[in-house]
Amino acid sequence: MITRDKLNELSVWFLTGSQHLYGPEVIDQVYEDAQKIVAGLNDSGAIPVKLVAKPVLTTAQAISSMFAEAAASPDCAGIVTWMHTFSPSQMWLPALGKLSVPMLHLHTQYNQTIPWDTIDMDFMNLNQSAHGGREFGFAATRLEVNRKVLVGHWSEKQIQADIADWCRVALARLDAEHGRIARFGDNMRQVAVTEGNKVSARIAFGYSVEGFGVGDLVAYMNEVSDADTNRLVAEYEDLYDVAPELTQSGARHESLRYAAKQEIAIRAFLEAGGFTAFTTTFEDLHGLSQLPGLAPQRLMAAGYGFSGEGDWKTAAFLRASKVMAMGKPGGTTFMEDYTYNFAGADSTVLGAHMLEICPSIASGKPKIQIHPLGIGGKDDPVRFVFNGRPGRARNATIIDLGDRFRMVVNEVEAVAPPHDMPKLPVARVLWKPLPDLRVAAGGWIHAGGAHHTVYSDQVSLEQFLDFASLHDMEALVIDEHSTMHSVQNELRWNAAYFRLR
Ligand code: MN
């Protein structure tokens, strides 16, 4: 599984194009400049993976071999292409036609500014990115190659952040390709949107969805030692604001120990199987006395994908989002639109779930509490309770339309709740959807968007769209520019495009 501390074991290859016309000195210079750019980007500290400068490419055979090598390399998440000079792109066509890894075309040049006093034709011949990049772009467009194009000088903070974000998307694709989703129990009864075609998902994203009986998890629960439980309970008391009744001297301490055992057992189960995400369902808890609440919350914070009610698509999407978020400030969580506060143009949505919201979005120190669940007929579950951080964020969902997957993203402005909610014992976040609730919810419903989402103030809109693009997936954005008319038209146009194709 891709983890933050192992990102330096993964790479993105930096491929520089040129041609023999210029002679060996120029090619040497091109390679030297490419190495300096790569060193500059690696030293910036912005790029989450290792960028690797590969030898300058000047023939069709070398380009095809390099692309094949990148595709076969298990630690190569993608390639960056850059044309320092002009590189006649007929020689790129065979390789581009078979491209099977994410590609970022970085349209930059070695020098930032024109050396006005000394510029001569030698300089012009060496620094031709402005038209070399266009020649390369034509070849990629001619072949309808799916790729990202970024324009800007490589030393600029913004372009470095953009390259970094794209690398994270490429990592999310690599992670999904080998992803494994464990489901404890099946879908919650008769829910439609959380279902979907697992074979289509395997083809589109690569991950497998594997079902287990809750008894398989109970077997892990039975193996959890008291020593490990003690250690984790101490960690809870150290990191969070634990309710007095749950502490060691409290009357309900056993419930906290049970939640800790669930976390240890689920983590061990996921690690043993190489799983990157999981689902639970409150309808299927045979042999478990509490619905796992704190455990999924803690495991989401550790980077695992999760969804309730057997919703494997959202669990897999949350895992991808956790990878896209790696090393960025903010948080990313499983979410559900729960209830509204109608107030005209300022209407807001209270997002929450029965229990399972990731504390990475918490404002302040999360509380650990125990309360009745109200449904399911089991013991009261332990859970984190907190308010989400205010600020710009977004909700994203992936649904299965039968012939394709569709992503829907809604930009939101999270706000501090105007009142305390002393009797609401779950983690929650209040947001104003953009442009307003009327268009945001209306458009979302027309798009068939799910009630389960990935909520993030960490993954950018551009990253979500790049993830959709990498998987050739339809993507609809509802933001401050949207109207009901624009959303409905976009849905019609998208339907025409995807069906004609
Ligand atoms: Mn739900």
Side-chain angles (χ1 to χ4, degrees):
M1 180 159 122
I2 294 175
T3 54
R4 207 179 150 185
D5 55 330
K6 284 196 223 147
L7 287 180
N8 58 358
E9 294 169 16
L10 296 163
S11 61
V12 164
W13 294 4
F14 193 94
L15 310 185
T16 307
S18 189
Q19 62 175 326
H20 281 302
L21 175 75
Y22 305 108
E25 293 83 15
V26 169
I27 302 295
D28 288 347
Q29 185 66 50
V30 165
Y31 190 38
E32 203 175 297
D33 291 348
Q35 287 173 302
K36 282 183 192 160
I37 291 178
V38 167
L41 290 171
N42 281 330
D43 292 346
S44 73
I47 314 296
V49 293
K50 201 165 50 179
L51 274 182
V52 180
K54 293 290 181 180
V56 178
L57 297 166
T58 56
T59 67
Q61 200 184 352
I63 294 166
S64 291
S65 300
M66 188 64 78
F67 274 45
E69 210 184 309
S73 168
D75 63 355
C76 174
I79 57 174
V80 175
T81 53
W82 173 53
M83 304 302 124
H84 188 322
T85 58
F86 198 79
S87 181
S89 68
Q90 286 197 30
M91 65 182 169
W92 289 86
L93 291 171
L96 283 173
K98 286 184 274 189
L99 179 70
S100 61
V101 293
M103 182 172 84
L104 165 64
H105 176 193
L106 181 60
H107 190 55
T108 190
Q109 64 185 16
Y110 177 66
N111 56 300
Q112 185 164 19
T113 54
I114 292 173
W116 305 103
D117 294 338
T118 58
I119 188 167
D120 57 12
M121 280 318 289
D122 284 345
F123 181 92
M124 295 281 271
N125 283 332
L126 182 62
N127 298 285
Q128 301 189 1
S129 305
H131 62 287
R134 287 162 205 255
E135 166 68 2
F136 179 77
F138 168 75
T141 293
R142 178 69 173 76
L143 287 164
E144 297 186 26
V145 171
N146 194 343
R147 82 281 195 191
K148 173 94 176 169
V149 180
L150 275 177
V151 182
H153 194 255
W154 56 272
S155 68
E156 291 165 2
K157 287 271 173 277
Q158 185 58 55
I159 201 83
Q160 292 176 351
D162 290 343
I163 295 168
D165 270 0
W166 178 85
C167 287
R168 293 182 179 98
V169 177
L171 287 172
R173 179 189 176 275
L174 184 68
D175 184 79
E177 203 178 338
H178 305 288
R180 294 184 71 187
I181 319 301
R183 303 175 79 216
F184 299 114
D186 202 341
N187 264 46
M188 193 171 82
R189 71 183 88 176
Q190 303 298 312
V191 175
V193 76
T194 52
E195 270 295 1
N197 190 319
K198 301 182 188 80
V199 175
S200 300
R202 183 107 201 212
I203 292 166
F205 304 103
Y207 60 75
S208 62
V209 183
E210 304 173 38
F212 297 91
V214 180
D216 295 324
L217 181 56
V218 173
Y220 273 77
M221 289 279 293
N222 294 337
E223 295 300 311
V224 176
S225 72
D226 281 345
D228 286 345
T229 308
N230 292 343
R231 207 171 304 128
L232 190 54
V233 166
E235 187 179 327
Y236 292 162
E237 297 198 6
D238 191 36
L239 293 176
Y240 313 111
D241 186 356
V242 179
E245 61 182 333
L246 290 172
T247 56
Q248 209 146 9
S249 51
R252 307 186 76 180
H253 184 60
E254 271 312 308
S255 295
L256 184 66
R257 294 185 64 80
Y258 192 80
K261 281 183 182 169
Q262 284 185 327
E263 177 182 337
I264 294 165
I266 297 173
R267 192 187 289 267
F269 188 98
L270 299 176
E271 281 176 0
F275 292 104
T276 51
F278 69 106
T279 68
T280 57
T281 169
F282 72 88
E283 278 195 330
D284 190 351
L285 293 174
H286 305 287
L288 292 182
S289 60
Q290 284 182 28
L291 172 67
L294 192 61
Q297 291 182 297
R298 288 259 309 167
L299 290 163
M300 278 190 271
Y304 286 101
F306 170 81
S307 173
E309 291 128 43
D311 182 355
W312 51 270
K313 288 195 305 298
T314 301
F317 187 29
L318 178 60
R319 168 58 190 169
S321 304
K322 288 284 185 183
V323 178
M324 288 191 270
M326 270 179 197
K328 300 184 72 175
T332 300
T333 180
F334 170 57
M335 185 57 71
E336 181 168 288
D337 296 75
Y338 226 105
T339 198
Y340 292 140
N341 187 56
F342 277 108
D346 291 325
S347 295
T348 46
V349 182
L350 187 65
H353 205 252
M354 285 188 295
L355 305 171
E356 315 93 330
I357 301 297
C358 176
S360 62
I361 66 156
S363 171
K365 194 188 244 192
K367 297 179 170 72
I368 295 182
Q369 298 179 357
I370 182 165
H371 302 277
L373 191 59
I375 41 178
K378 289 281 180 173
D379 290 352
D380 296 352
V382 175
R383 79 288 301 274
F384 281 127
V385 179
F386 55 83
N387 284 322
R389 264 189 305 277
R392 183 74 171 231
R394 54 213 47 87
N395 273 305
T397 183
I398 292 177
I399 56 164
D400 183 352
L401 291 171
D403 61 346
R404 66 187 186 279
F405 292 97
R406 169 185 287 159
M407 181 189 288
V408 188
V409 189
N410 180 211
E411 290 287 301
V412 306
E413 188 69 36
V415 294
H419 302 282
D420 286 342
M421 292 171 271
K423 292 191 171 174
L424 184 68
V426 290
R428 63 285 180 119
V429 55
L430 187 72
W431 66 77
K432 180 187 182 301
L434 298 178
D436 54 31
L437 181 61
R438 187 187 173 104
V439 173
W444 190 275
I445 286 168
H446 268 293
H451 53 281
H452 284 170
T453 59
V454 169
Y455 173 96
S456 184
D457 62 3
Q458 198 170 27
V459 180
S460 69
L461 174 61
E462 191 167 334
Q463 284 184 294
F464 277 129
L465 295 179
D466 285 345
F467 184 79
S469 172
L470 265 185
H471 294 94
D472 233 355
M473 183 173 27
E474 179 183 352
L476 179 85
V477 178
I478 304 172
D479 63 8
E480 55 267 56
H481 308 295
S482 301
T483 64
M484 282 307 288
H485 183 65
S486 73
V487 168
Q488 284 180 275
N489 265 344
E490 204 173 313
L491 287 168
R492 291 183 188 106
W493 298 334
N494 286 353
Y497 168 79
F498 281 96
R499 283 172 189 156
L500 280 171
R501 202 185 53 157

